[in-house]
Amino acid sequence: MQECPARGPGSRTPRRRTDLGTELDRSRAGTGPISTKGDRGESTTVDHNGSVDRTAPDPLARLLAAPPPLPAKEALPRLRELLTGVPVRGVVVTAPPGTGKTTLVPPLVAQILTAPDGDRRVIVTQPRRVAARAAARRLATLLDEPLGATIGYAVRGERRTGPRTRVEIVTAGLLLRRLQAEPDLPGVAAVVLDEVHERSLESDLLLALLLDARALHEDLTILAMSATADLDRLPIMLGDGGPTKTAGTGPGTAAAPIVSVADPLHPVEEVWAPPPPRTPRLGPRGVPRELLAHVAATAQRALSERTGDALVFLPGAREVDDVVSRLRASLPGDTDVLPLHGRLGASAQDAALAPSPPGRRRVVVATNVAESSLTVPGVRIVVDAALARRPCLDVARGMSGLMTVGASRSEGVQRAGRAGREGPGAVYRCCSPVDWARAPQAPVPEILSADLTRAALELAVWGAPGGAGLSWIDPPPAPAMEAAHRTLMRLGLLEGEAGMSSTADDGDGSRGSGGPGGSGYTDGPGGSDGPSSASPSTTALGRAVARIPAEVRQARALLTAGGT
């Protein structure tokens, strides 16, 4: 097993690591029809029975010639212009939830940057496994192909790709491990980072490492897609990867272009449905049962007052199951009540995302998976418990946990928007106008509040301990990173000095990238901004733990229990 060299002055390029886990087996065993090209250049489709349709066009070209009537269709000409010829190295796409960016942008990128008979593909990341599977199935259905042909996906424990797959949809965590194994991402023409506005710790880390690795992959294009347009740093970070200044403050590289999709939202009526005066929204043990009863009653009221299907938002799987049980016991037989959260099996998740049968109504009770990364058809009613679950650091235990808090206003706006995608709708907010006014404008990014132990280990394996020299939307807080290093050293996963004089660039991108290629610091290689030679490095056990997609302590326990 090769070790990553120390990232001191003059040594900033991590060695390529190719031994990370059987989960990232890069075999391309076919599971569906395979697109090839005939001797005269015509497109051909071959199935496993040997039958051939020599008149079938490129399936991606066929889709884009007559795309579904989604608002994102209007942005495709501009995006095609940016990617044709010598493509730009980075693009930011802003589009509200439900406008079709996940459905139309990846096929366009793949049609331009890959070939039906080539060995390159476009990787699309989703924040959750359910979203990755759903997006892949949606695209494969539009192409009238089975999964594993032109469209494939890979999540933990499940993979459906083939030798001619041109769009592969994966979770951010899986791509992160693949990137650690092969920093130059062979065979990848572009990476599309979807739902970057969610600001999960994993997606922020992945973005930083991808920008760092772009020095090894000169023709890699990175697209970041966001449901909001408030990430001012993204265009600067996605420029050409070199040193830059903040926009409009002197010499630097050009910011990445922004392609925006208009919001065609229908009117959404806002109905305030606060709980009774003595019913708390939060209790010492999480969400009180009295509030869950109120949410269920509000959903029943909404169904009696409105037409269409309903989407109910709750903070976690336990609350979802509770409200589902209440609604099934009280609603009439022509109404289906379906849960939707990450713990469900694929068939149950698919059932929640399918349209209602004729003559029936549906209530989908979901966690925030339906907030932006999934579209539930037929919804004209949203019932919002106005709560969210956040990862946070328990300082006393030195471990991360989940805390239920009031949802931010930006989350509430996105949830309400689900009621206005197909026609006029209504949102029933289970809070008072005062609670809404006191809510934060946006959630705190996970990187600023969560336990950084896993992220610190990933950064050390990458060769950038503490995140030094990487470009971040928000850099990891130095105290939290130092605490993570101390934890890793106590577990025997790091060795060296725990303290870091600097964790990352100063937030304006002026230090650039410090990873593969060694081109990132404005002082040049060996400049004074680089991490010191005393920076912590991973031990053999630390590298083994990093290969396991689990919380650091759990992964270490598995290895030590097995005698590793």
Side-chain angles (χ1 to χ4, degrees):
M1 186 180 300
Q2 292 181 325
E3 296 186 16
C4 174
R7 291 262 311 216
S11 178
R12 289 184 182 154
T13 305
R15 296 178 186 174
R16 180 169 163 182
R17 293 169 290 275
T18 59
D19 58 345
L20 291 192
T22 56
E23 180 182 356
L24 300 180
D25 176 17
R26 301 187 63 83
S27 64
R28 300 291 189 252
T31 59
I34 300 171
S35 297
T36 62
K37 271 197 175 181
D39 295 337
R40 294 173 296 177
E42 75 276 19
S43 180
T44 302
T45 298
V46 184
D47 67 21
H48 289 298
N49 296 321
S51 60
V52 177
D53 177 6
R54 295 188 178 279
T55 64
D58 175 357
L60 295 179
R62 185 175 66 241
L63 170 65
L64 295 168
L70 296 168
K73 179 176 67 172
E74 304 303 322
L76 297 185
R78 171 59 175 158
L79 192 55
R80 182 181 292 277
E81 176 187 342
L82 292 170
L83 297 176
T84 302
V86 180
V88 294
R89 302 197 69 194
V91 180
V92 176
V93 178
T94 62
T99 51
K101 63 183 184 298
T102 306
T103 300
L104 295 179
V105 170
L108 177 71
V109 176
Q111 190 217 2
I112 296 172
L113 300 182
T114 71
D117 60 348
D119 58 356
R120 285 158 58 85
R121 63 181 56 185
V122 171
I123 303 293
V124 183
T125 67
Q126 290 292 332
R128 302 169 185 88
R129 286 176 286 179
V130 56
R133 283 191 295 257
R137 288 192 178 98
R138 164 73 168 159
L139 280 173
T141 299
L142 289 174
L143 297 181
D144 194 23
E145 291 184 348
L147 282 167
T150 305
I151 308 296
Y153 73 90
V155 298
R156 187 187 305 175
E158 187 179 358
R159 186 185 184 102
R160 296 285 298 277
T161 61
R164 299 304 181 198
T165 296
R166 296 168 66 188
V167 176
E168 183 181 1
I169 304 177
V170 304
T171 57
L174 192 143
L175 181 57
L176 181 61
R177 290 187 292 278
R178 184 178 297 178
L179 184 63
Q180 289 278 26
E182 298 176 303
D184 54 345
L185 289 177
V188 177
V191 175
V192 180
L193 303 170
D194 204 358
E195 313 298 352
V196 295
H197 63 276
E198 292 195 7
R199 299 297 311 280
S200 71
L201 175 57
E202 209 163 48
S203 65
D204 274 13
L205 176 60
L206 177 61
L207 175 60
L209 298 193
L210 278 172
L211 292 172
D212 206 31
R214 195 164 55 174
L216 293 179
H217 200 323
E218 294 183 356
D219 59 349
L220 177 67
T221 299
I222 301 175
L223 290 87
M225 301 202 298
S226 172
T228 61
D230 58 354
L231 297 178
D232 296 334
R233 280 266 295 147
L234 266 180
I236 299 172
M237 294 169 62
L238 289 174
D240 68 359
T244 185
K245 302 291 183 182
T246 53
T249 60
T253 59
I258 301 174
V259 178
S260 300
V261 176
D263 188 353
L265 193 66
H266 295 278
V268 176
E269 181 183 349
E270 194 172 51
V271 180
W272 299 104
R278 296 194 176 183
T279 300
R281 295 176 61 214
L282 289 172
R285 297 186 177 181
V287 183
R289 293 179 61 83
E290 296 84 356
L291 182 70
L292 297 178
H294 172 71
V295 172
T298 302
Q300 294 179 64
R301 169 192 167 190
L303 288 168
S304 67
E305 296 176 349
R306 311 280 171 172
T307 59
D309 294 342
L311 178 59
V312 181
F313 283 101
L314 288 159
R318 181 186 68 82
E319 293 82 6
V320 165
D321 293 340
D322 184 290
V323 172
V324 165
S325 298
R326 295 173 187 270
L327 291 175
R328 284 177 175 170
S330 58
L331 290 176
D334 63 348
T335 303
D336 299 317
V337 182
L338 303 170
L340 179 59
H341 54 74
R343 295 182 185 175
L344 294 173
S347 60
Q349 293 171 349
D350 291 344
L353 298 174
S356 298
R360 300 190 64 83
R361 299 182 76 182
R362 288 189 314 153
V363 180
V364 177
V365 187
T367 60
N368 65 346
V369 299
E371 189 175 294
S372 61
S373 57
L374 290 173
T375 296
V376 181
V379 171
R380 303 289 284 275
I381 303 165
V382 165
V383 178
D384 185 6
L387 298 173
R389 195 150 285 161
R390 309 255 191 264
C392 61
L393 177 62
D394 185 334
V395 178
R397 295 187 303 159
M399 299 176 65
S400 61
L402 292 174
M403 177 180 294
T404 303
V405 299
S408 67
R409 292 198 299 274
S410 65
E411 290 169 310
V413 169
Q414 287 191 49
R415 294 173 183 181
R418 290 305 191 182
R421 290 300 163 201
E422 299 181 7
V427 56
Y428 288 69
R429 300 194 191 279
C430 297
C431 64
S432 69
V434 173
D435 293 329
W436 175 259
R438 290 174 175 171
Q441 177 60 39
V444 176
E446 285 186 14
I447 198 170
L448 301 181
S449 61
D451 177 19
L452 299 184
T453 304
R454 178 80 202 192
L457 180 60
E458 295 283 358
L459 289 167
V461 171
W462 180 254
L470 301 182
S471 188
W472 303 89
I473 300 176
D474 289 297
M481 186 61 70
E482 291 170 3
H485 283 158
R486 288 192 294 270
T487 298
L488 292 172
M489 290 179 180
R490 188 166 60 250
L491 294 172
L493 309 183
L494 286 188
E495 57 189 2
E497 294 293 331
M500 294 291 296
S501 59
S502 175
T503 53
D505 69 23
D506 58 7
D508 68 357
S510 59
R511 290 181 60 189
S513 165
S519 61
Y521 301 97
T522 52
D523 290 348
S528 60
D529 284 336
S532 69
S533 58
S535 296
S537 59
T538 51
T539 63
L541 179 59
R543 291 188 293 275
V545 166
R547 293 196 292 270
I548 300 177
E551 195 273 332
V552 166
R553 296 165 186 83
Q554 297 172 353
R556 182 184 183 276
L558 286 172
L559 288 175
T560 54
T564 301

